[in-house]
Amino acid sequence: MKMQRVVITGLGVVTPAGSTLDEFWSALVNARTGIGVLESIPIARLKTRIAAQVKAFDSSQHFDAKSAAQLDRSSQFAIVAARAAIEDSSIELSDDRNPRVATVLGTGSGGQTTLDEAYQKFYAENVSRVHPLTIPKMMISAAASQVSMDLHLHGPTLSVSSACASGTHAIGYAFQLIRMGQAQIALAGGTEAALTPGSIKAWEALPILASDMCRPFSKDRTGLVLGEGAGILVLEARDHAIKRSAKIYAEITGFGMSADAADLMSPDIKGASSAMIEALRDAKLAPEDITYINAHGTGTKINDRVETTAVRNVFRSHADKIMISSNKGVLGHGLGCAGALEAVSTVLTIQTQIVPPTANYREADPECNLDVVPNIARQAKVQAAISNSFAFGGLNAVLAFVRAV
Amino acid sequence: MSVNFEHEVKKIIATQMQAPIDSLSAATRLEDIGVDSIDVLEIVFNIEQKFGIEIPLDAQIDITKTFETIGSVAVAVKTASLTAR
């Protein structure tokens, strides 16, 4: 069987730093953070005061009142990003049936807003019935279903959930579907909207949230900042894309996965290394081919240290020639959508040959001593790059992208 | 206090179906105005909220037969409200 080559032909985003591609990319390149004061939810019983929220999102611009009532915020983000990605790709979908188009979406926690509201009513307000669509709105697969319904996509459709690696796993799986000929086109990415009081309270129980700002790889980093949003990529069989003279952002050539099978919370050097090695092997790339890594770079003490060591293990002497930056100083940690937005960023890095910096960086850390591209973007020749996601529970996923030829 | 059940039910259905209230009558069949399975759930939920009642609704009941027209919904609401008192 002939393996299909797979390219990226469309991008769509909903993010705390802007919801057009131009705004998103300009924020990343200029290190303009989307992290700000936590708004629009009751905060009296929370300690958290900062988050990366999609503050400008106006549901009524995209949905009539009836449709909006049937969609959790996370599904709304996904649909808006999916419509934008399709428009960007110039693919003309049928209004009726698109049997060769797959939908694979990652999410860490599904419809948290819906769940939070239902529990508030049931536990705190003692109502006898909650909203009848609570289950179909909150289920983990809701966003994938809703995107398929909105755009009439009848190909393989499912959600992928692997905590903070969900978006990356989703894109990797969609890549495999097209490569094996099970779909011609796929909408793949991730969505998350978990900035609810109940969900934030649960995060506060872990000692990993930053007090002031997310500062990946900086010695004075204090943790991660929760974010939200959606990122969708249009993956397409290369032959199909060339036949319709599509704009091609980059080619996706490798997907590596591994599990730490060790600690629930702490990342593992071996697990992270092995996912990067598998991605390189799958892409038939040598370590020396990689010029840029989009880091998982959460801004927690341990992640950034472990990721640095894992990169050194994999790339050896070449590690010092690699640029590695994290988007999370700008976007916060979007959990299930993080890997998808970072894939979008990696693809744009390859297309524009501009490396977005690690924002909010202040102080060199001897334990994070790679070239983390602090604060200022760089023009650079980026032929091949990888994007890392290392999730809670030790679930690792790495994607490899190369310049389209 | 006398409640115009039919009018209140019409208001709720008109809002759900995004239809002008004047276009609805007791004889309007739900099927004819495009009420689907999700609309039924939302309409019943909104009626329950509005009147503080519980309309029995489970998998054993054929919703489209029980609530064929707006008039039959209004009767069900009235019955449930009286029982509640």
Side-chain angles (χ1 to χ4, degrees):
Chain A
M1 193 176 75
K2 188 196 166 201
M3 298 255 270
Q4 298 292 322
R5 289 171 68 177
V6 183
V7 294
I8 312 291
T9 56
L11 303 171
V13 297
V14 173
T15 86
S19 294
T20 65
L21 266 190
D22 285 346
E23 286 169 358
F24 167 78
W25 187 235
S26 151
L28 285 175
V29 168
N30 296 300
R32 198 167 53 243
T33 189
I35 293 168
V37 177
L38 181 60
E39 289 174 356
S40 328
I41 62 164
I43 54 163
R45 295 178 63 205
L46 299 177
K47 279 188 296 186
T48 305
R49 289 294 177 267
I50 53 168
Q53 291 176 293
V54 184
K55 289 182 176 168
F57 188 77
D58 178 3
S59 178
S60 69
Q61 280 186 359
H62 308 282
F63 306 99
D64 62 39
K66 186 175 157 179
S67 312
Q70 298 178 8
L71 297 165
D72 183 81
R73 183 171 168 89
S74 58
S75 293
Q76 295 189 12
F77 284 175
I79 290 175
V80 171
R83 289 175 183 168
I86 283 291
E87 191 185 334
D88 184 48
S89 75
S90 304
I91 288 171
E92 286 180 30
L93 290 172
S94 150
D95 290 340
D96 180 26
R97 288 191 70 80
N98 296 281
R100 298 279 289 150
V101 185
T103 309
V104 187
L105 293 192
T107 180
S109 60
Q112 282 289 315
T113 307
T114 302
L115 189 65
D116 219 53
E117 283 171 3
Y119 282 178
Q120 162 72 17
K121 288 207 178 308
F122 182 64
Y123 291 130
E125 298 170 23
N126 287 314
V127 300
S128 57
R129 274 193 181 186
V130 297
H131 191 275
L133 300 183
T134 301
I135 291 294
K137 282 171 72 175
M138 63 155 270
M139 58 191 185
I140 290 274
S141 51
S145 292
Q146 294 290 354
V147 167
S148 77
M149 287 156 62
D150 189 71
L151 296 169
H152 313 286
L153 315 178
H154 296 78
T157 293
L158 70 159
S159 68
V160 171
S161 193
S162 52
C164 309
S166 302
T168 306
H169 273 114
I171 295 163
Y173 182 61
F175 161 58
Q176 292 178 335
L177 283 177
I178 297 176
R179 187 158 68 169
M180 299 304 284
Q182 292 179 296
Q184 202 158 47
I185 293 165
L187 267 71
T191 188
E192 201 78 76
L195 297 176
T196 66
S199 172
I200 293 173
K201 194 77 217 167
W203 279 98
E204 286 179 357
L206 296 168
I208 59 169
L209 295 186
S211 48
D212 65 331
M213 180 47 76
C214 175
R215 306 183 187 284
F217 300 115
S218 185
K219 192 175 183 192
D220 60 350
R221 67 191 181 278
T222 57
L224 63 85
V225 173
L226 294 170
E228 62 175 354
I232 306 271
L233 297 82
V234 176
L235 274 57
E236 187 170 354
R238 182 171 175 269
D239 291 351
H240 188 265
I242 287 173
K243 201 179 291 176
R244 68 177 185 89
S245 307
K247 160 191 69 188
I248 295 176
Y249 282 101
E251 180 168 354
I252 172 169
T253 55
F255 177 34
M257 294 181 271
S258 73
D260 295 347
D263 195 280
L264 183 62
M265 297 271 302
S266 290
D268 176 59
I269 295 166
K270 283 198 293 272
S273 305
S274 129
M276 285 188 271
I277 290 167
E278 288 304 317
L280 294 176
R281 194 201 311 271
D282 191 35
K284 299 186 173 62
L285 289 168
E288 295 71 34
D289 293 330
I290 300 296
T291 34
Y292 172 66
I293 299 175
N294 187 300
H296 188 54
T298 56
T300 63
K301 283 280 179 216
I302 188 162
N303 173 85
D304 297 359
R305 191 180 71 220
V306 166
E307 188 165 9
T308 301
T309 308
V311 167
R312 289 208 172 276
N313 279 0
V314 172
F315 293 91
R316 304 286 166 172
S317 61
H318 181 65
D320 287 314
K321 295 185 188 135
I322 291 177
M323 290 167 281
I324 175 169
S325 65
S326 167
N327 294 148
K328 289 187 174 76
V330 172
L331 302 174
H333 192 339
L335 312 174
C337 79
L341 292 175
E342 287 155 15
V344 172
S345 171
T346 308
V347 162
L348 289 172
T349 300
I350 289 175
Q351 192 221 14
T352 60
Q353 301 283 286
I354 295 171
V355 173
T358 299
N360 314 322
Y361 185 90
R362 289 200 298 208
E363 196 181 339
D365 181 350
E367 292 188 309
C368 301
N369 55 0
L370 295 164
D371 177 4
V372 298
V373 196
N375 301 320
I376 312 282
R378 255 181 246 165
Q379 195 99 40
K381 191 162 181 290
V382 181
Q383 197 67 28
I386 59 171
S387 179
N388 287 344
S389 294
F390 307 132
F392 269 0
L395 309 186
N396 308 306
V398 176
L399 295 166
F401 300 93
V402 301
R403 271 203 108 171
V405 284
Chain B
M1 186 186 73
S2 89
V3 181
N4 186 337
F5 288 99
E6 190 183 303
H7 183 71
E8 293 300 330
V9 166
K10 266 204 289 196
K11 267 208 309 213
I12 287 169
I13 293 178
T15 306
Q16 175 66 24
M17 301 313 295
Q18 297 171 313
I21 192 162
D22 298 341
S23 70
L24 306 177
S25 74
T28 302
R29 296 180 70 247
L30 299 185
E31 200 184 328
D32 293 343
I33 53 170
V35 173
D36 65 15
S37 61
I38 287 178
D39 293 322
V40 168
L41 292 173
E42 299 225 53
I43 289 165
V44 168
F45 181 70
N46 289 328
I47 288 172
E48 289 178 335
Q49 299 278 5
K50 167 91 189 167
F51 294 98
I53 57 171
E54 204 162 307
I55 296 175
L57 194 64
D58 60 48
Q60 269 66 50
I61 296 174
D62 184 339
I63 292 163
T64 50
K65 287 222 177 74
T66 313
F67 304 123
E68 199 182 345
T69 62
I70 288 179
S72 62
V73 178
V75 169
V77 173
K78 191 170 180 180
T79 309
S81 298
L82 296 174
T83 318
R85 272 164 218 151

